[in-house]
Amino acid sequence: MTTTEQTTQTSKSKRIVSANQRRAEIMIAALFLVTAAASIPGAFVLDSILNASNYLAQVFPNKGAVELGTLMWSINNIGIIFIAVFAFPLLRKLDEALAVGYLASRITEGTIMMVGAAATLLLIPLSQEFLQANAPQGSWFLTLGDVLKQAEFLGLTGLSLPVLGLGGLLFTWMLFRFRLVPRGISVVGLIGYAVVLFGSIAGWFGLIDVAPGGNGTIFALPVATFEIILLPFWLLFRGFKTPEAPERIVAAK
């Protein structure tokens, strides 16, 4: 083997990426972890209050917890959009249509969830008025509260989950198709997002309970494994597998 061949093979074995791409990979990994760390406890904080039988009497006295839970959801809502924003430059080079679709799905998902967060915050003044009026349980306060609570559920879970599943399938299909990460990681993601998509649709018909703590929570395990463990840690330590630019190889020769 000649010196030239050794240099070429060594060069081919290295992952050569720009500083911008490496920063993007680290940001994507960090955002996956941050959004999980914010949304999971945020969901359970809100659910513990809003699922109470006398929830409208509980919201205002627990105003701080409701605001904290909503803030944590809002961090998630913004973070998921920026995951797609940081991934877009790389994905666009590979398949622009799928990259735009993934970005659009994340923006749509984040917007829907912010509507749910707004509905949650509106429950605070409603609860205050309910308590001050000493209104009976069958009053219009409760009717309006049920509407806002349903809007919260649809925004943070019922409508956003199918969009998450669809967008996640676009993302993981690109990871699989272009071998950006090991096939095992992308397959777990494909399975996880497919389960989220079809499971959330099943939730519309009452076949499973997709709310946090419901019997549908187990179906989130594959996508949680992908988003919290497999992909972020791979990106932190290895990054996307991008082909080496031809001019780099020529330069090495």
Side-chain angles (χ1 to χ4, degrees):
M1 182 181 295
T2 65
T3 304
T4 300
E5 291 173 335
Q6 290 176 338
T7 304
T8 302
Q9 287 189 359
T10 302
S11 178
K12 286 182 178 180
S13 67
K14 293 180 179 179
R15 192 182 78 102
I16 301 175
V17 296
S18 67
N20 286 340
Q21 180 175 321
R22 187 61 191 135
R23 281 193 293 268
E25 292 168 349
I26 294 172
M27 287 301 301
I28 292 169
L31 285 170
F32 268 116
L33 296 175
V34 168
T35 54
S39 62
I40 294 174
F44 283 99
V45 166
L46 291 179
D47 254 41
S48 64
I49 299 171
L50 299 184
N51 284 346
S53 58
N54 61 337
Y55 73 93
L56 206 53
Q58 297 294 321
V59 171
F60 185 70
N62 293 284
K63 174 183 176 182
V66 174
E67 290 174 337
L68 176 61
T70 306
L71 173 62
M72 296 175 79
W73 266 113
S74 300
I75 292 171
N76 169 78
N77 304 343
I78 296 170
I80 60 176
I81 294 174
F82 277 95
I83 288 173
V85 169
F86 282 111
F88 184 72
L90 171 62
L91 301 181
R92 184 181 185 183
K93 297 175 184 177
L94 304 173
D95 191 315
E96 185 167 4
L98 289 179
V100 171
Y102 177 57
L103 179 61
S105 70
R106 281 306 211 180
I107 293 173
T108 302
E109 180 190 355
T111 302
I112 292 172
M113 295 176 81
M114 288 304 290
V115 172
T120 305
L121 291 177
L122 287 174
L123 283 168
I124 296 175
L126 181 66
S127 173
Q128 183 180 18
E129 292 296 325
F130 173 77
L131 292 171
Q132 288 177 350
N134 196 23
Q137 283 296 316
S139 67
W140 67 269
F141 285 99
L142 193 61
T143 301
L144 182 55
D146 287 347
V147 171
L148 289 175
K149 193 170 80 163
Q150 183 64 15
E152 179 268 347
F153 170 75
L154 290 174
L156 299 183
T157 305
L159 294 179
S160 59
L161 280 181
V163 181
L164 166 64
L166 180 60
L169 285 174
L170 295 177
F171 179 55
T172 48
W173 169 246
M174 293 190 72
L175 298 184
F176 180 86
R177 177 184 173 189
F178 297 106
R179 298 179 180 271
L180 297 178
V181 297
R183 285 286 175 87
I185 295 178
S186 53
V187 167
V188 171
L190 281 167
I191 294 172
Y193 288 116
V195 170
V196 167
L197 175 60
F198 293 108
S200 59
I201 294 175
W204 292 352
F205 299 95
L207 300 177
I208 60 174
D209 182 5
V210 296
N215 58 16
T217 303
I218 190 173
F219 295 107
L221 290 179
V223 76
T225 301
F226 173 79
E227 290 190 351
I228 301 174
I229 301 173
L230 298 179
L231 184 64
F233 284 95
W234 180 268
L235 292 182
L236 284 174
F237 295 108
R238 299 296 297 273
F240 289 121
K241 290 183 178 179
T242 52
E244 184 182 4
E247 61 269 17
R248 299 265 187 186
I249 300 176
V250 172
K253 291 182 180 181

